[in-house]
Amino acid sequence: MDLRIQRMTDFKVLFDSSVRQDVIKHVRHRNALLPIGKLPVELLQTVFSIVLFSPGVRRKSRFVFRLTTLRAVSWSWRDLIGRTPSFWAHVSSEDHMDFVSEAFKRSGEVPIHLYHIGKSNNGQESPFLGKVLPYVHRWESVAIHQPNVSVAAKYLSASAPKIKAILLSRLTTGSSLQEPIGSLFGGSLASLEELRVCCWGDINWRRLSCTRLRVLDIERETSLDIEAVLGILAANPCLEILQLHDLKFAQNPPQRDSIPAFMSLNHLRQLTLTDLTWAKEDDFVESNPATDHLLQRINFPAGVALTIKTKLQTGSSLTPAKLLSLIPSPVEYLAYLLQVDDSQKADVSVGFEGTYLSLRIRDSPRSKPIFSVEVDRLAKEAAREWVVESLQQSLTTPMDLRLRFESCVLGFSLDDVSYFQLWDSVIELTLTGFSARAPTPGRKLLGLLSTPCLSEDGIMVMPFPNLQHLRIDGVSGIKGKWMLEMLEARFAPPGSTEAAVPSAVPVPLTIHLGHGVGGWMDKYKDRILAVPGVEGIAVAAVHGMPRVARRSSPSSSEADWPPPYDYGHMRVYW
């Protein structure tokens, strides 16, 4: 009986295998007849590259799955992928070792890109290193994440003469490699174009000798030699991307080699300086910022994507006035965007949060900022003066201005808001969490938005006449009847009421109510939407999607309104 069952089992396995092979042949034959199969080989290779790799020639997630899926479509695709070496030139320690061996065979002699992802502190490393070491002469880029010291030492001691890109990330906690960075990979770094280092511990940067760097990215390193970093910048004038994040610089004496006091990086496209401080001996004393030391030494062209984030300290040599004088003026960036495309409005976001200031400039609402500055512990008066002075010079430049006021310990006054009420460029106003100490702040806010004011032209207008989005979150005293009264007064036809003094009615408005605001929506929703000029109203839900109501209109768009907004967003300052 057991023998008969075993024979039946074997027969079923063979039968299933035969059927599967026939199905695969049929599917591949059918797929080969599809129109896409008739595309030129070069075009198909381009399509496959887009599927497999992200910009920058880094492989996408689930790379092996994507590759095998494409190969399974048809015989012609399988053959094309199999004889395209560049598709097999990216291997990872997380890949099956059989795939790694096959990849080295099929990739021929094209440059190899390695990704090593280490295990936990006590975890056993994969045999990946042994597979890739025989091909060290073909290494072009190496990314090593969280290796133990032994594995890292083996990688970094290998002589890789063609190495162009190095990424070192998160050496095992508590470990340290004392090798100077200039001796890595046998010291063969003359062709190095990209260097990214994050949480790698103490590295001797002074011995790095390379002149072709395009990308330098250093993050979360302590006791970094700032003179060594400046020396690298001086030796690489063609640098395109410089990103320094969360670094503590050691106050070492200057090195003997001469470093220019002022260096020009004329090819720079992106400059990021965030949370740069000097190392300190006393853990109870806050670190002084070091951003100014770099800004004073680097010259870069207009239009560089600039990101600066720092925290001022009392008694530091870096005063608010000095910092703001070193930061390029937003006027320059607005003028640059206007020069690039005079038909596109610049998108400007300004946030005031007590003594925290943020200012970002984009060429469109959803693009990455071309200018981003965040300064903590900056006096409100200094912040407002800098913003006003910078943007008032560009009021003739087309821009959409988004203002955000967030609460601090003592809240903020309505004077902060009203200071900008005559700016025609303000299209969005966000107010978050007035101080509970202020008496009925919500009603006063609504009164501000519905009280006409005298413009520079001598006519009465409503505050923020071009306001399109009003976002209120955590502001007490916002009652439904007061919201309705504000909207009726704001959009009343000229001459119909005593409050309707302005000569022109403001643009239509969409209202976004966050947590703690809008409990009255069911009672007042229909009456608010009936007010001419109200486009819609949305209330943040505790769970799930926000509750949305909008005016019935053939011109309203379900897809475009309301724009995405995260009411639960909280700034994290490291």
Side-chain angles (χ1 to χ4, degrees):
M1 178 62 71
D2 292 341
L3 182 60
R4 184 178 300 175
I5 292 175
Q6 182 62 42
R7 288 177 177 174
M8 291 295 294
T9 302
D10 293 342
F11 173 78
K12 183 178 183 304
V13 171
L14 291 174
F15 180 79
D16 290 345
S17 176
S18 177
V19 170
R20 185 166 57 253
Q21 292 298 324
D22 288 341
V23 170
I24 290 174
K25 290 179 181 179
H26 172 73
V27 170
R28 285 178 171 170
H29 176 71
R30 182 199 63 187
N31 290 341
L33 300 177
L34 295 175
I36 192 173
K38 300 178 182 179
L39 292 176
V41 171
E42 295 78 7
L43 186 55
L44 272 177
Q45 288 175 326
T46 301
V47 172
F48 294 162
S49 294
I50 294 174
V51 173
L52 297 172
F53 305 105
S54 58
V57 201
R58 286 182 170 82
R59 73 182 210 173
K60 291 184 178 179
S61 61
R62 304 183 70 192
F63 172 80
V64 177
F65 173 79
R66 292 170 185 262
L67 187 67
T68 53
T69 300
L70 289 174
R71 295 182 72 214
V73 170
S74 68
W75 290 110
S76 61
W77 283 22
R78 182 184 181 90
D79 178 65
L80 175 60
I81 292 173
R83 55 188 173 85
T84 305
S86 60
F87 293 161
W88 301 88
H90 297 251
V91 291
S92 167
S93 61
E94 295 190 329
D95 297 339
H96 194 283
M97 290 302 106
D98 290 343
F99 173 83
V100 174
S101 299
E102 184 71 12
F104 277 115
K105 292 178 182 178
R106 292 183 178 271
S107 60
E109 290 299 320
V110 300
I112 292 293
H113 306 270
L114 308 180
Y115 308 84
H116 182 102
I117 294 89
K119 304 299 181 183
S120 59
N121 292 356
N122 299 321
Q124 184 176 0
E125 293 286 352
S126 72
F128 180 72
L129 182 59
K131 293 278 188 182
V132 302
L133 277 177
Y135 303 93
V136 67
H137 62 286
R138 292 169 52 195
W139 292 5
E140 183 171 284
S141 71
V142 178
I144 308 174
H145 175 70
Q146 200 174 333
N148 60 44
V149 174
S150 174
V151 169
K154 291 178 181 178
Y155 270 110
L156 303 183
S157 61
S159 179
K162 295 183 179 180
I163 198 78
K164 289 185 178 180
I166 301 173
L167 189 153
L168 308 176
S169 172
R170 297 184 182 277
L171 187 64
T172 303
T173 304
S175 303
S176 178
L177 285 174
Q178 299 299 325
E179 291 291 329
I181 197 165
S183 65
L184 303 185
F185 298 100
S188 305
L189 302 180
S191 301
L192 191 64
E193 297 180 2
E194 180 176 346
L195 177 60
R196 301 178 187 269
V197 179
C198 175
C199 300
W200 198 258
D202 295 332
I203 295 179
N204 184 351
W205 290 84
R206 292 199 176 192
R207 288 183 56 185
L208 178 62
S209 177
C210 58
T211 57
R212 299 183 182 180
L213 271 184
R214 295 183 301 104
V215 178
L216 178 61
D217 187 344
I218 310 175
E219 180 176 358
R220 295 192 181 185
E221 298 294 329
T222 58
S223 300
L224 193 63
D225 189 338
I226 195 168
E227 291 293 322
V229 174
L230 290 171
I232 295 173
L233 300 184
N236 292 272
C238 293
L239 199 67
E240 298 177 15
I241 297 176
L242 174 60
Q243 299 184 120
L244 305 178
H245 313 264
D246 195 9
L247 303 180
K248 290 181 172 57
F249 292 109
Q251 301 194 37
N252 297 328
Q255 60 186 26
R256 294 181 180 178
D257 298 334
S258 59
I259 298 177
F262 195 71
M263 58 196 75
S264 295
L265 300 177
N266 296 324
H267 297 270
L268 204 63
R269 296 184 290 107
Q270 181 177 340
L271 175 61
T272 300
L273 307 174
T274 61
D275 300 326
L276 308 181
T277 60
W278 295 105
K280 54 185 174 48
E281 297 180 359
D282 190 347
D283 292 335
F284 295 97
V285 177
E286 292 187 287
S287 301
N288 289 322
T291 307
D292 59 315
H293 196 84
L294 289 164
L295 287 175
Q296 291 178 98
R297 305 284 295 273
I298 301 174
N299 181 36
F300 47 89
V304 169
L306 178 66
T307 300
I308 294 177
K309 181 167 176 272
T310 189
K311 179 191 290 187
L312 296 172
Q313 299 294 345
T314 303
S316 170
S317 60
L318 180 59
T319 62
K322 181 179 179 181
L323 174 64
L324 296 178
S325 68
L326 292 172
I327 298 175
S329 172
V331 176
E332 299 175 14
Y333 281 83
L334 292 171
Y336 173 79
L337 291 178
L338 184 63
Q339 181 181 2
V340 172
D341 184 1
D342 57 3
S343 65
Q344 178 70 37
K345 283 188 176 181
D347 190 88
V348 183
S349 301
V350 181
F352 298 94
E353 184 183 345
T355 59
Y356 187 92
L357 169 70
S358 65
L359 193 155
R360 295 181 177 89
I361 300 175
R362 299 176 172 86
D363 59 4
S364 66
R366 297 182 182 275
S367 64
K368 292 183 178 180
I370 188 176
F371 180 89
S372 176
V373 172
E374 298 178 55
V375 184
D376 200 1
R377 296 187 178 176
L378 180 64
K380 288 198 302 181
E381 294 75 14
R384 188 176 66 183
E385 180 180 347
W386 183 69
V387 170
V388 171
E389 181 180 349
S390 299
L391 297 183
Q392 269 189 337
Q393 299 178 42
S394 303
L395 288 182
T396 57
T397 302
M399 76 171 83
D400 287 334
L401 180 58
R402 306 172 193 274
L403 291 177
R404 185 182 75 254
F405 295 88
E406 295 188 21
S407 66
C408 61
V409 177
L410 299 178
F412 55 86
S413 69
L414 290 179
D415 291 339
D416 297 331
V417 181
S418 63
Y419 197 87
F420 298 90
Q421 63 184 353
L422 290 176
W423 287 35
D424 292 339
S425 55
V426 178
I427 66 164
E428 183 174 307
L429 180 62
T430 300
L431 301 148
T432 303
F434 272 71
S435 171
R437 300 182 185 182
T440 60
R443 187 170 190 180
K444 291 184 177 181
L445 168 64
L446 298 179
L448 168 67
L449 296 176
S450 58
T451 303
C453 50
L454 187 64
S455 71
E456 294 181 356
D457 297 330
I459 61 173
M460 299 300 290
V461 297
M462 278 294 174
F464 307 104
N466 290 318
L467 187 65
Q468 300 174 21
H469 294 276
L470 173 63
R471 306 180 187 276
I472 305 176
D473 186 13
V475 180
S476 61
I478 302 287
K479 293 186 177 181
K481 62 178 182 179
W482 295 340
M483 176 67 74
L484 179 61
E485 290 174 359
M486 182 274 288
L487 294 171
E488 289 176 339
R490 183 174 178 84
F491 294 105
S496 61
T497 66
E498 182 180 353
V501 180
S503 59
V505 177
V507 300
L509 178 66
T510 298
I511 304 165
H512 307 257
L513 302 177
H515 300 295
V517 186
W520 37 261
M521 183 171 177
D522 292 338
K523 181 178 179 180
Y524 286 92
K525 176 187 65 178
D526 294 336
R527 295 167 65 183
I528 288 176
L529 291 175
V531 176
V534 176
E535 285 289 324
I537 183 169
V539 177
V542 178
H543 301 287
M545 296 296 291
R547 299 166 55 198
V548 178
R550 57 176 54 83
R551 171 186 295 278
S552 298
S553 170
S555 63
S556 64
S557 171
E558 183 75 23
D560 295 338
W561 191 95
Y565 182 68
D566 182 12
Y567 284 101
H569 174 72
M570 180 177 294
R571 177 179 62 84
V572 177
Y573 192 95
W574 295 99

